[in-house]
Amino acid sequence: MSLDHLLDNLWQEYTGRNPHALKIYQLFTARGETVINDHIAFRTFNNATVNIEQLAKWFKNYGYIEKGSYNFPVKKLIAKHYEHEDEKLPKVFISELLTEKFSPQLQTIINQCIVKMTANPIVNSETMLYSGNCWGPISYSTYKALLTESEYAAWMYVFGFCANHFTVLVNELKTFNNLEDVNSFLLGNKFELNTSGGLIKGTPDVFLEQSSTLAEKRRVNFIEGTYEIPSCYYEFAKRYPLTNGKLYSGFIADSADKIFESTNVST
Ligand code: NI
């Protein structure tokens, strides 16, 4: 495979599961925009089989380098971001849940999922990055139990490994002046936006402003029946130049903390 092929497969899988992201992308291109992807985000657990390093290695194979690390003490997550020397390529943001900070029940559920996928040869290929649920039939009561402790754990249990979101780099849009205009355009087209921490997370002072849609609900088959579960969202980022004139390329933990809530069941 090539990096282009991997990025394309990730986009196809993501837009297949989240048609609203494709609709927004098409609305931008219909205005004559060329949509540049700022970053792709992934979620995982801190288990040695599937932790950040295990996901990052497929991108490192194509020349990506670790550039930043982040802490989310309330959600009990850590994250790292990776960049390619070709600045046109998207950054990669990978977070992992610190499972030992949760109940023994949660740890058991997650460990059982990981054990089931360890035997799956997909773990040893980059298609693992968009392999979804690798642990077979899922239970709605287990999902609800996970929800009481961690929205992130519950989301991972249902959706597994995939691009959690793609991100439009607002700086490269020619027909919008700023992120406010992008948000107004989306609201005007009846898309729902994440309001946690305000429509726009971050300020020019921290060199990054972000907004996002609310995750689209998908019908998911559980052992007990079919239920609608928030899937993924589309993000919009405007970056500001540092004193050296280069655009800030990192992430802001306080803002990302709120963006994570785009997949919450109750916001
Ligand atoms: Ni993001």
Side-chain angles (χ1 to χ4, degrees):
M1 270 224 255
S2 66
L3 179 57
D4 281 350
H5 190 191
L6 172 61
L7 296 176
D8 189 51
N9 284 347
L10 287 165
W11 173 252
Q12 297 300 334
E13 192 280 332
Y14 164 79
T15 50
R17 231 170 351 96
N18 303 281
H20 86 286
L22 186 60
K23 276 187 206 134
I24 292 171
Y25 177 90
Q26 289 167 340
L27 283 173
F28 285 144
T29 55
R31 288 167 65 104
E33 297 286 3
T34 302
V35 176
I36 303 295
N37 182 26
D38 179 77
H39 66 270
I40 309 174
F42 297 88
R43 294 178 173 183
T44 190
F45 301 111
N46 65 340
N47 180 294
T49 309
V50 296
N51 61 17
I52 290 175
E53 295 305 322
Q54 295 302 320
L55 271 63
K57 72 181 181 191
W58 305 112
F59 288 99
K60 287 180 174 174
N61 283 348
Y62 294 118
Y64 275 82
I65 295 166
E66 184 183 328
K67 289 285 186 175
S69 59
Y70 311 90
N71 263 308
F72 303 92
V74 176
K75 292 188 172 65
K76 300 169 186 170
L77 302 166
I78 59 168
K80 290 183 177 179
H81 101 259
Y82 301 81
E83 295 178 29
H84 197 279
E85 66 176 2
D86 178 350
E87 293 175 2
K88 291 192 192 69
L89 289 169
K91 300 171 220 336
V92 171
F93 182 93
I94 311 175
S95 58
E96 67 180 22
L97 191 71
L98 306 174
T99 49
E100 71 279 1
K101 295 190 183 291
F102 292 89
S103 72
Q105 291 87 332
L106 180 143
Q107 293 180 53
T108 302
I109 295 164
I110 302 308
N111 283 337
Q112 285 170 347
C113 289
I114 308 290
V115 166
K116 280 184 196 157
M117 74 176 286
T118 306
N120 191 332
I122 211 159
V123 178
N124 300 313
S125 86
E126 68 184 38
T127 55
M128 177 268 191
L129 291 167
Y130 50 96
S131 58
N133 157 8
C134 300
W135 32 85
I138 50 173
S139 149
Y140 190 67
S141 63
T142 302
Y143 170 73
K144 295 290 273 184
L146 290 172
L147 261 188
T148 64
E149 287 195 66
S150 164
E151 288 267 0
Y152 185 109
W155 185 92
M156 270 301 294
Y157 175 68
V158 170
F159 294 105
F161 301 95
C162 57
N164 174 267
H165 59 272
F166 277 69
T167 310
V168 175
L169 179 58
V170 171
N171 301 58
E172 295 291 329
L173 298 177
K174 307 283 187 279
T175 63
F176 296 91
N177 291 320
N178 49 43
L179 190 52
E180 284 87 347
D181 287 355
V182 172
N183 290 340
S184 302
F185 175 73
L186 296 170
L187 291 169
N189 280 284
K190 307 282 184 248
F191 292 98
E192 282 191 274
L193 299 181
N194 172 339
T195 57
S196 175
L199 274 183
I200 295 181
K201 285 54 134 162
T203 62
D205 290 345
V206 296
F207 306 107
L208 176 62
E209 291 178 315
Q210 292 163 278
S211 63
S212 68
T213 61
L214 277 183
E216 182 163 352
K217 288 200 170 148
R218 269 193 78 75
R219 292 178 68 75
V220 174
N221 293 324
F222 291 87
I223 293 165
E224 297 92 331
T226 303
Y227 295 86
E228 287 208 325
I229 307 292
S231 176
C232 291
Y233 55 93
Y234 206 10
E235 188 181 309
F236 312 90
K238 175 148 189 203
R239 295 185 177 277
Y240 288 85
L242 300 168
T243 47
N244 65 9
K246 290 195 69 175
L247 289 182
Y248 176 66
S249 67
F251 293 83
I252 303 296
D254 282 351
S255 303
D257 190 76
K258 301 289 184 292
I259 295 271
F260 274 121
E261 295 173 11
S262 304
T263 59
N264 278 12
V265 172
S266 50
T267 51

